[in-house]
Amino acid sequence: MLIFLMHLDTKEERDTLEKLYLKYHNQMFYIAHEILKDGHESQDVVQTAILKMVNYIDRIDSVDSDKTKFLIHTIVKNTAIDLYRKRKRNTVVEAEVFEDLQDTKNLPLEDMVIKLGEAKIISEKLAEIKAEYADILALKYYHEFDDQEIAEILSISHENVRVRLVRAKKTLKKLMLSEKSTDYTYGGLCRNEI
Amino acid sequence: MKSEHDDEKVLEGYYAYIGKHHVENSVKVFDDLNEKRSCTAYPDELHSWFNAYLSEQIKKEQRNKDRVRMSTFSKRVAVFLLIFVTGIAITTMSVEAFRVKIFNIVTEVTEKYTAIHFTENDLNGASSIMAQWDSYYEPQYIPKGYALVDAKGSGTLKIMYFSNESNDRIEFSQASIDANLQVDTEGASIEDIEINGAAGIFVKKEDLSILLWATDKKAFYILGTLDKETFLNIAESIELK
C-alpha cells in the first residue's frame, strides 16, 4: 500500500522541492517518456514521482548530490515501469521466489574474496545482470531507506522488497565468488528490464 | 571470536560500497540525459500543476498558522480575564470608595457560536449614560447604488437598513455597550480588526459577512454580503447625529 503524506511542513521543504523540480523536471519527463512513449502518462508519472519525493524531502541533503539524483532517477523510472506493467496487464509473478528464499545463508567471508578495488566493476556487472538488484542494494545500504520506504520508491510490495534483496545479495555473492573478470557496458535506461 | 553477525556487518558495509558505485554510475547516465531530453517537449500543464500544488501547500501552512493564532488569542483572553478579575478583587479590598469603569471585549469562541459580550464594569453600580439613547450614529459612506430603506429601534438598539436595486441589503446596527450579541461562527473565518482605534472582529461565513466593533459606549455591527474593505469604509465613516 502506497502512503503519500503529500504535505510540505516548512518553507525550506517547499524551496527544496521547487529547486529539485526546476533542476530535474526535464529529465524526469524524458525518462518517463522513454519508457511509456505517451505524453499524458508521462505527465502522470512525473506528478506521482514529485509527490513521492515529498515524503523524503527532509532527507535531501543537497539538490546536486549523487544520492539525490539517483533517488529521483529511481523513483521516476520505477513509477513509469509500474504504469507500463499495469497498462500491459503484466501479472507475471516472480516464480523463483520460493526457490531463492531457500538459500539465504551467507558463505563465511573467508570463502569469498572482497576486492574493494573491483567494487566499481562488480556494481556494473550486477547492474548489467539486473539493474533492479543494484538499485535495491544502493537504496537499502547506501541511502539507508527501510523496506517500507523502498517499496514505495520502487512501486513494489513490501514482500517483493525482501525477495529482491535476497536475490540481489545472492547474485552479488556469485559475482564475488567468481574469479573471472569480463568486460562490461553499463546498461543505461531499462526498457529491456520490463 | 568471529561470528556470523560480524560477517554480516562486514558484508553490509560492502553492499553499501557497491551501492555507492552503482549510484555514481547511474548519475552519469542521468546527467547525460540533460543533452538528450531537449528533443522531448516538456508540457506546460505540468508547470501549472506544480505551481498550483506549491500554492496549495502555502495556503495550508497559512491556515495552520491562523489556527495557532486563534488558539493563542483565546489563551491570552483567558489570561487577561484572570488578571482583570484578580485586579478588581485586590482593588476592592484595598480601596474603600473606588469607581472603576473597565471596558473589555471578551470573545468566547465556542464550538458553534461566538458570544460577543460588551460589558461595562462599574464598581459603584452606576447606570449606563441615558443621554446616549436620544442620539444615533449614521454612516456617511454607503456604497454606490445603496440607499436607506428602513429603520427600527427599541430602547438603545437602533438598526438602519440599506438596499440596492438587486435587493442586496446592508444592515447597520448600534446598541449600548451592555448588549449581548450572538454570532454564528460555525465554519466561519474570524479576523481581528480595528475601527478608528476601536477593537472588533470581522466574521465571514460563505457569502455573508459581519463587521462588529465597539467603542467604550457603543457597540456596532454591519451585516451584508459585501467585501471587507467596503465594510471598513462604512464603519469608519459613522458620525454622531
Side-chain angles (χ1 to χ4, degrees):
Chain A
M1 181 176 147
L2 300 177
I3 301 168
F4 292 142
L5 296 176
M6 294 190 291
H7 181 58
L8 298 160
D9 291 321
T10 65
K11 186 179 181 306
E12 288 73 27
E13 289 180 355
R14 280 202 307 275
D15 289 345
T16 301
L17 186 71
E18 193 171 14
K19 283 178 192 166
L20 288 172
Y21 176 79
L22 290 171
K23 198 167 176 69
Y24 301 118
H25 65 279
N26 280 308
Q27 281 138 295
M28 291 168 71
F29 185 75
Y30 179 81
I31 291 167
H33 198 267
E34 279 296 289
I35 295 171
L36 296 165
K37 302 299 185 194
D38 181 277
H40 292 297
E41 286 185 340
S42 301
Q43 285 187 45
D44 289 344
V45 165
V46 171
Q47 287 177 12
T48 304
I50 288 168
L51 294 176
K52 278 189 187 181
M53 275 181 342
V54 168
N55 288 335
Y56 309 108
I57 203 74
D58 56 340
R59 295 168 72 155
I60 302 286
D61 50 354
S62 159
V63 170
D64 298 307
S65 72
D66 283 356
K67 270 189 175 180
T68 300
K69 290 180 189 178
F70 177 79
L71 181 61
I72 292 169
H73 186 179
T74 305
I75 288 176
V76 175
K77 181 179 76 175
N78 285 278
T79 305
I81 290 171
D82 184 49
L83 185 58
Y84 181 88
R85 283 176 177 156
K86 283 174 182 166
R87 189 217 285 170
K88 293 288 182 187
R89 298 184 189 277
N90 184 345
T91 56
V92 171
V93 176
E94 295 165 345
E96 307 100 82
V97 166
F98 299 107
E99 181 190 329
D100 278 345
L101 291 182
Q102 295 302 319
D103 176 21
T104 57
K105 216 177 166 183
N106 288 315
L107 281 179
L109 272 184
E110 300 85 72
D111 293 346
M112 292 191 282
V113 180
I114 295 183
K115 296 179 183 175
L116 290 178
E118 289 185 5
K120 183 170 161 57
I121 296 174
I122 296 281
S123 71
E124 285 162 353
K125 286 166 106 173
L126 182 64
E128 199 172 281
I129 293 170
K130 197 123 184 166
E132 61 191 39
Y133 291 167
D135 286 347
I136 203 166
L137 284 183
L139 290 171
K140 178 77 177 175
Y141 295 104
Y142 183 54
H143 283 78
E144 295 181 303
F145 286 117
D146 61 38
D147 287 2
Q148 182 59 42
E149 288 170 330
I150 294 173
E152 288 174 3
I153 290 167
L154 297 180
S155 300
I156 59 177
S157 67
H158 191 279
E159 178 62 24
N160 276 345
V161 168
R162 201 170 66 86
V163 167
R164 202 177 281 190
L165 271 170
V166 167
R167 291 178 167 183
K169 290 177 188 177
K170 203 175 172 187
T171 306
L172 184 63
K173 185 172 72 178
K174 286 179 185 169
L175 284 172
M176 288 163 68
L177 285 171
S178 167
E179 292 180 353
K180 289 181 184 177
S181 178
T182 57
D183 289 339
Y184 65 90
T185 53
Y186 184 65
L189 283 176
C190 59
R191 185 101 200 222
N192 58 355
E193 296 167 28
I194 301 167
Chain B
M1 193 169 175
K2 211 157 148 298
S3 66
E4 261 188 46
H5 176 74
D6 295 332
D7 284 357
E8 184 60 32
K9 281 292 174 193
V10 172
L11 279 172
E12 282 178 7
Y14 189 59
Y15 297 148
Y17 195 56
I18 294 289
K20 180 178 180 296
H21 280 291
H22 176 61
V23 164
E24 287 168 1
N25 294 335
S26 296
V27 164
K28 281 179 196 161
V29 172
F30 187 70
D31 287 340
D32 286 345
L33 294 180
N34 228 354
E35 290 156 18
K36 291 181 186 173
R37 53 96 175 158
S38 55
C39 54
T40 307
Y42 191 85
D44 288 333
E45 294 91 340
L46 267 176
H47 285 315
S48 304
W49 171 83
F50 185 75
N51 289 333
Y53 171 73
L54 274 191
S55 298
E56 183 57 35
Q57 296 305 308
I58 293 170
K59 283 180 192 168
K60 275 184 188 170
E61 191 185 345
Q62 190 55 46
R63 281 199 288 270
N64 284 339
K65 281 182 184 170
D66 287 344
R67 249 180 249 124
V68 169
R69 202 167 55 230
M70 267 309 293
S71 169
T72 306
F73 172 72
S74 301
K75 287 173 191 165
R76 284 179 184 164
V77 167
V79 170
F80 169 76
L81 281 176
L82 181 64
I83 295 170
F84 169 68
V85 169
T86 307
I88 294 297
I90 292 170
T91 307
T92 307
M93 285 188 294
S94 62
V95 178
E96 276 191 13
F98 189 71
R99 184 168 182 269
V100 175
K101 277 191 183 174
I102 296 168
F103 164 75
N104 61 59
I105 297 177
V106 175
T107 306
E108 298 165 5
V109 182
T110 62
E111 199 172 333
K112 190 169 179 181
Y113 283 95
T114 295
I116 315 291
H117 305 283
F118 298 97
T119 63
E120 186 182 26
N121 189 336
D122 186 336
L123 286 180
N124 283 347
S127 59
S128 54
I129 303 173
M130 299 297 296
Q132 312 298 349
W133 291 37
D134 294 327
S135 62
Y136 63 92
Y137 283 84
E138 184 180 6
Q140 301 307 297
Y141 166 77
I142 291 294
K144 194 175 176 183
Y146 284 82
L148 184 67
V149 295
D150 198 2
K152 289 179 186 174
S154 174
T156 61
L157 179 64
K158 294 179 175 63
I159 306 176
M160 297 176 191
Y161 298 94
F162 301 86
S163 182
N164 63 6
E165 282 182 0
S166 305
N167 212 26
D168 298 319
R169 304 262 279 190
I170 300 172
E171 190 176 311
F172 170 63
S173 169
Q174 55 197 289
S176 71
I177 202 57
D178 53 2
N180 188 344
L181 307 173
Q182 294 287 331
V183 178
D184 178 5
T185 57
E186 186 184 17
S189 66
I190 304 171
E191 187 182 336
D192 296 337
I193 50 93
E194 198 175 279
I195 304 293
N196 296 328
I201 58 172
F202 179 75
V203 181
K204 185 170 175 64
K205 182 173 177 178
E206 293 167 5
D207 292 334
L208 199 62
S209 300
I210 179 167
L211 176 64
L212 200 146
W213 75 104
T215 64
D216 57 350
K217 290 176 182 156
K218 284 284 192 184
F220 305 92
Y221 76 74
I222 302 174
L223 179 73
T225 55
L226 298 169
D227 58 279
K228 186 179 88 175
E229 194 177 337
T230 305
F231 273 51
L232 290 173
N233 289 337
I234 297 171
E236 285 168 356
S237 75
I238 63 169
E239 281 184 6
L240 185 63
K241 298 292 182 185

